[in-house]
Amino acid sequence: MATKAINIVVAGGNYAGLNAMRHLYAMLLASPDQASKSVVNITLVDRRDGFVHYIGMTRGITEPSFGSSLWVPYSTVDWLQHPQITIKQGTVADIQPTLVQLTSGEQLQFDYLVVALGISRFAPIGIRSSTKSEFVAELAESYTQLESAKSVIVVGGGAVGIELAADIKCDFHNKSVTLVHSRALPLPGPFKDKLRHNVVDILQNQIGVDLVLGQRVIAQEPASADMADTLTDMPEHVLSTATNATLTLSGGQTLHGDWVVRCLGTRDKQSIINLPSSTQEPIFGVNGIRVKDTMQIDDTAYPHIYACGDICARDTVKLAGVAMYGAYIAAVNIARTISSSFNHSPTLEESPLYPSKILLLMSKDHFIMQLGDEIWEKEKTRQYVSDDMGLQGSINGLSLNKIPAAYSPFDLAPAF
């Protein structure tokens, strides 16, 4: 009698989704356990046709030749061509208890689901492209506007705004670069003021970025598309840039920028998560999807649905490494549960809570890091810094350049 196929859907690629795929492949498809090989189908849903190293996006805008290397097409990754793996290029419109619906109307039934959809940013930091050729063209478009500008204004002093302002000034020394932030110090989040003051010193005194702190932008003419009252498109499809723009600040000051780019936070994916809660708490809270330490959704109705990466509420500071580790835990637990059908008793792994961390890469020569309550010295931090902003490390960690070795879900392997 034929065994019913088990269908796993991974919704979203990049750091979390691809690491889940990598480990599911290693445990369920590359495994010497032939029993699981014949019954497991894994589908990756991604609106893009490749991995994008988001961490490098600010420098990708200022150095397009580097930017083009940030995109790794799935077609070049050998193990993703396995006959029991399907890559479905499309956009998730709706997630229900047993199916994922795409904007095309196609429905994907699943036995297990990993939600790894991340969070959204406005373009050009958020990526509009669905193919590498589009990506390279859009980087060139941003670079052309940037290169022709004598003055640049970056609005928003979070990590992305800080790194973008620094990369622009270091790659274009003769441009006037101004960073505007509404608070008295940059870098919101669970970080020490000493770190923030160090960031101010690096930007202002070592790199030469002009800082306007403690003032909000209350008007911009012309407005960028992301300032519209109603937005129907995904943020990634909406540009947050304007050329030849005048900004009015809350203190009455006006600034003019030949190129203005707004780096003002993120947008969540709450609208597509249609999972009724069995408790008084919603599935999707203020900071994302509620999950257990096992990375399962924190609701007894959904033991078969996992969430990892930026979309879940587990971590205040969203980090690629933490997303990858959560995906690894989700993959191990799915593989163990499936293997229990073959006379294994599953004990689910749990992901630890990590201390808050931030590593700011303010051009190739300036960087600073806080881990937990400790601000690291520059030489100590240097071991985590590379000229490619971690690109090759991510490619290696996600096995985009090699076949992942098979292992049993009951014998833990390195997460990345």
Side-chain angles (χ1 to χ4, degrees):
M1 188 168 112
T3 305
K4 177 183 177 295
I6 296 171
N7 295 312
I8 304 171
V9 172
V10 177
N14 257 48
Y15 304 105
L18 279 178
N19 210 37
M21 292 290 296
R22 171 203 169 204
H23 286 285
L24 289 168
Y25 167 86
M27 290 181 284
L28 297 173
L29 301 183
S31 169
D33 180 359
Q34 297 295 321
S36 66
K37 264 189 175 179
S38 61
V39 296
V40 177
N41 297 312
I42 308 171
T43 300
L44 172 65
V45 181
D46 195 343
R47 68 178 184 84
R48 296 185 294 265
D49 72 358
F51 165 77
V52 183
H53 185 52
Y54 266 114
I55 294 168
M57 271 304 297
T58 58
R59 198 166 302 158
I61 290 171
T62 65
E63 301 175 16
S65 58
F66 168 69
S68 66
S69 69
L70 299 176
W71 190 294
V72 181
Y74 293 141
S75 60
T76 67
V77 181
D78 288 344
W79 57 270
L80 284 175
Q81 315 314 313
H82 189 283
Q84 287 165 252
I85 289 178
T86 300
I87 298 177
K88 187 73 66 174
Q89 190 172 355
T91 300
V92 175
D94 187 20
I95 291 177
Q96 298 180 27
T98 60
L99 67 85
V100 171
Q101 181 163 315
L102 308 185
T103 52
S104 65
E106 184 176 1
Q107 295 184 344
L108 305 174
Q109 299 285 338
F110 61 80
D111 298 292
Y112 298 93
L113 172 66
V114 179
V115 183
L117 291 168
I119 49 182
S120 293
R121 294 183 182 275
F122 291 104
I125 297 299
I127 297 168
R128 292 175 284 169
S129 326
S130 58
T131 67
K132 182 169 184 174
S133 59
E134 292 174 356
F135 179 65
V136 171
E138 287 161 10
L139 285 178
E141 177 187 344
S142 294
Y143 182 81
T144 298
Q145 293 179 346
L146 170 60
E147 187 181 35
S148 63
K150 292 182 179 179
S151 59
V152 177
I153 299 174
V154 178
V155 181
V160 172
I162 290 168
E163 292 186 342
L164 181 59
D167 276 325
I168 293 172
K169 186 63 179 179
C170 288
D171 278 344
F172 298 92
H173 301 288
N174 295 328
K175 293 188 189 300
S176 166
V177 179
T178 302
L179 177 64
V180 179
H181 187 58
S182 60
R183 301 184 186 183
L185 289 170
L187 196 64
F191 307 112
K192 290 188 169 183
D193 278 352
K194 180 182 177 183
L195 181 78
R196 298 185 175 98
H197 284 292
N198 288 346
V199 169
V200 168
D201 177 63
I202 292 170
L203 287 174
Q204 197 165 309
N205 300 323
Q206 299 180 41
I207 296 177
V209 174
D210 296 321
L211 299 181
V212 178
L213 300 174
Q215 294 201 56
R216 292 180 297 104
V217 175
I218 60 173
Q220 177 180 307
E221 180 59 40
S224 50
D226 67 304
M227 300 174 72
D229 290 335
T230 57
L231 293 172
T232 56
D233 289 332
M234 294 172 59
E236 292 91 339
H237 294 159
V238 180
L239 274 171
S240 64
T241 59
T243 56
N244 194 25
T246 299
L247 280 59
T248 303
L249 307 184
S250 54
Q253 181 181 359
T254 59
L255 299 174
H256 177 84
D258 296 330
W259 195 58
V260 174
V261 57
R262 291 159 51 87
C263 301
L264 295 174
T266 60
R267 301 294 185 272
D268 63 40
K269 306 287 179 68
Q270 182 173 0
S271 62
I272 66 175
I273 309 296
N274 290 308
L275 300 173
S277 176
S278 62
T279 70
Q280 295 298 312
E281 284 192 81
I283 297 293
F284 207 112
V286 174
N287 199 36
I289 296 173
R290 293 186 293 110
V291 293
K292 303 176 183 178
D293 292 344
T294 57
M295 306 312 295
Q296 293 163 298
I297 286 184
D298 190 10
D299 191 299
T300 56
Y302 309 110
H304 60 305
I305 301 180
Y306 294 73
C308 48
D310 291 356
I311 199 169
C312 58
R314 186 175 168 81
D315 304 288
T316 303
V317 181
K318 310 296 187 181
L319 300 170
V322 174
M324 291 170 69
Y325 194 84
Y328 160 70
I329 293 295
V332 166
N333 288 338
I334 290 171
R336 285 187 180 180
T337 304
I338 291 172
S339 296
S340 70
S341 303
F342 304 102
N343 301 317
H344 293 297
S345 177
T347 299
L348 300 187
E349 289 295 317
E350 295 185 352
S351 178
L353 286 171
Y354 290 92
S356 61
K357 170 189 170 184
I358 193 161
L359 170 61
L360 286 174
L361 302 172
M362 294 174 280
S363 79
K364 296 173 184 175
D365 300 320
H366 303 278
F367 42 85
I368 193 168
M369 177 169 162
Q370 180 178 325
L371 177 61
D373 290 330
E374 182 185 0
I375 300 171
W376 284 26
E377 296 295 329
K378 185 171 184 178
E379 289 309 310
K380 185 178 179 181
T381 304
R382 193 181 297 277
Q383 63 185 302
Y384 294 105
V385 176
S386 60
D387 283 349
D388 68 356
M389 300 182 79
L391 172 60
Q392 192 58 51
S394 294
I395 289 173
N396 294 341
L398 292 167
S399 294
L400 301 181
N401 54 359
K402 60 183 182 293
I403 304 291
Y407 72 95
S408 164
F410 300 95
D411 299 323
L412 295 181
F416 46 85

